[in-house]
Amino acid sequence: MSSNLDQFYMQRALRLAVRGQGLVEPNPMVGCVIVREDYTYNVESGLDKSGAFRDDYVVDPEVEDKAATLIVGEGWHQKYGEPHAEVNALKMAGDLAKGATMYVTLEPCTHQGKTPPCVDAVIAAGIKRVVVAMLDPFPAVNGSGIEALRAAGVEVEVGVCEEEAQELNSPFVTRLTKNRPWIIGKWAMTLDGKIATRIGSSYWISSDEARLRVHEWRETVDAILIGSRTAMEDDPQLTVRLPEGRTPKRIPTRIVVDSGGTLSVFSELALTARDVPLLLVFGPNTPKGKKEFWESKGAEVMVIDAPTHEQRLLLLLTNLAERGMTNILVEGGGELLGHFFDLELIDEARVFVSPKIIGGSEAVVAVGGVGRELMRKAATLRNKKIEVIGTDVLISGRINY
């Protein structure tokens, strides 16, 4: 089978994997496609023998001319604790899986977790060839899936569309390899780079459409994190609020880095602490009795006994990773984002730029902290995207330090 065909089907598997975003964490997103050369696909009807409709299947004329290899089964990891992508694809393929080729975006697992090992199901189905995008960095797997398949006589190829697969599961890989969650820095700023006026006014910099997009992001992350100043000045809810009829994929934990224990008991966060998870992160000098008080209000309190903001942030991220948190949306303010930036902890930036100018040397800048001294050492974006959202421009990408 040609490299062109392998990439064609692996790209399909990657598109399937994305459907699990926000539902499978802390597991990785995984997609799987099963094909065989002697299967005839009804292109006109868009149906296979099982009657499954594939609305986004596109026949590449060049690929179609080279071979008649077509899909007999496909699937993705749909929800944490439920069957993995390989099992879902094998179920669809049925007996047609015997002698077929499987494309999977992540190495099949070999350990018993919430579900049985996928490798056993692949071997039992009689798959003859497995094409894997990337190895699983999880210690209980990490190459053992490939070894088990080859030991059973299955032909295995690794590395097809590996870069795309690594990008897709960057949060999962980061948690395993760096022992911290993937950090998404989000802010909305004016044309002159301000996130609030000199007296702290920020409602609203961005458009209705931009704010809806933020709520859609919130439903895909484990937590939303802000600093105490933002909590005090903006009094946010930090909840997921979608249009009527849409149910959030998940309810993220709201985290406030509040070293001095200053959060108001009358704030929106405090008033909803029993309804939506709220984690307060206190420093070592927080007044006595604050922890017990907030716990009585329904909040969880973490006291980090470290002398500096930077040390407390690092310890916080380690703790969140150990809880299984994979991705965190940091929504500000400028001082907190500056600490993250100075520590080179922001992995991804999502920035709304509004066509407004407020001026003022004392207005709040988007990213504070120490910053870079030389322009040639400025961080840059890779895989950047530019999109018009309402009246704003959204600039996003992965950060290169």
Side-chain angles (χ1 to χ4, degrees):
M1 197 174 293
S2 73
S3 174
N4 191 6
L5 276 171
D6 286 345
Q7 292 187 18
F8 179 80
Y9 289 115
M10 190 62 78
Q11 289 289 343
R12 167 64 181 168
L14 288 164
R15 292 196 299 274
L16 288 169
V18 175
R19 297 183 183 185
Q21 186 177 33
L23 297 168
V24 303
E25 293 82 357
N27 283 353
M29 293 175 279
V30 183
C32 180
V33 173
I34 301 173
V35 300
R36 56 184 301 153
E37 297 178 9
D38 58 353
Y39 179 65
T40 302
Y41 180 81
N42 186 336
V43 176
E44 292 183 359
S45 70
L47 297 172
D48 65 12
K49 290 180 182 178
S50 68
F53 181 70
R54 290 189 272 272
D55 57 355
D56 59 350
Y57 184 83
V58 178
V59 177
D60 183 327
E62 182 179 354
V63 172
E64 189 180 16
D65 289 343
K66 288 184 177 181
T69 305
L70 290 167
I71 298 171
V72 297
E74 56 188 10
W76 66 96
H77 186 24
Q78 298 181 16
K79 191 174 181 180
Y80 178 69
E82 294 185 358
H84 290 183
E86 300 95 317
V87 174
N88 288 329
L90 288 169
K91 182 178 180 180
M92 179 177 172
D95 294 339
L96 292 172
K98 188 173 183 179
T101 295
M102 171 181 284
Y103 295 86
V104 62
T105 58
L106 186 73
E107 175 185 10
C109 63
T110 53
H111 66 294
Q112 175 71 47
K114 295 286 184 181
T115 59
C118 290
V119 162
D120 294 348
V122 174
I123 294 172
I127 293 287
K128 72 172 183 179
R129 179 174 182 253
V130 176
V131 181
V132 177
M134 63 175 282
L135 295 179
D136 188 342
F138 186 60
V141 185
N142 198 18
S144 64
I146 304 302
E147 293 177 3
L149 289 170
R150 286 174 174 159
V154 180
E155 179 187 350
V156 181
E157 182 173 348
V158 182
V160 175
C161 300
E162 181 176 10
E163 183 176 346
E164 294 95 324
Q166 291 279 358
E167 289 284 347
L168 175 68
N169 278 312
S170 293
F172 172 72
V173 174
T174 296
R175 183 174 63 83
L176 290 178
T177 60
K178 298 183 179 181
N179 198 29
R180 67 166 177 84
W182 179 262
I183 303 300
I184 304 166
K186 167 264 165 184
W187 62 90
M189 67 183 187
T190 58
L191 280 177
D192 52 339
K194 313 296 186 181
I195 62 173
T197 69
R198 59 184 173 83
I199 64 170
S201 174
S202 62
Y203 291 123
W204 289 104
I205 288 177
S206 55
S207 63
D208 292 343
E209 294 86 348
R211 294 196 297 277
L212 173 59
R213 179 67 64 88
V214 173
H215 285 284
E216 292 172 340
W217 292 339
R218 286 178 177 179
E219 70 167 342
T220 66
V221 298
D222 294 298
I224 305 162
L225 190 151
I226 63 171
S228 57
R229 180 177 175 181
T230 297
M232 177 177 65
E233 294 184 350
D234 292 355
D235 193 21
Q237 297 179 54
L238 299 184
T239 54
V240 180
R241 301 185 296 280
L242 300 173
E244 187 176 353
R246 290 175 58 181
T247 302
K249 293 179 180 179
R250 70 166 97 170
I251 304 299
T253 298
R254 303 169 301 170
I255 304 175
V256 181
V257 178
D258 187 12
S259 298
T262 60
L263 182 65
S264 170
V265 69
F266 301 109
S267 66
E268 288 287 346
L269 292 166
L271 295 174
T272 56
R274 295 192 187 279
D275 304 314
V276 183
L278 174 64
L279 171 61
L280 302 181
V281 183
F282 289 166
N285 298 320
T286 303
K288 191 174 182 180
K290 284 279 187 177
K291 181 178 186 295
E292 293 75 17
F293 172 80
W294 280 106
E295 288 175 340
S296 72
K297 297 296 182 181
E300 179 185 358
V301 178
M302 181 190 305
V303 178
I304 300 181
D305 189 8
T308 68
H309 289 295
E310 291 77 9
Q311 289 172 326
R312 289 195 288 273
L313 282 181
L314 292 171
L315 290 171
L316 169 63
L317 295 183
T318 298
N319 180 280
L320 297 179
E322 290 172 350
R323 294 173 180 227
M325 289 193 179
T326 302
N327 43 33
I328 308 294
L329 184 64
V330 179
E331 295 201 16
E335 182 180 351
L336 183 64
L337 284 165
H339 287 312
F340 272 98
F341 179 76
D342 288 342
L343 291 168
E344 299 188 353
L345 290 174
I346 302 178
D347 299 294
E348 179 181 350
R350 299 178 185 178
V351 183
F352 290 105
V353 181
S354 172
K356 300 173 183 177
I357 301 173
I358 58 176
S361 59
E362 295 181 4
V364 185
V365 298
V367 181
V370 177
R372 301 300 172 93
E373 292 183 350
L374 301 174
M375 183 57 68
R376 61 183 174 84
K377 292 188 176 181
T380 57
L381 292 186
R382 60 184 174 85
N383 296 343
K384 57 181 173 290
K385 297 178 182 178
I386 300 176
E387 183 181 358
V388 176
I389 307 290
T391 57
D392 308 313
V393 175
L394 170 61
I395 302 174
S396 60
R398 310 293 176 93
I399 296 186
N400 283 330
Y401 289 98

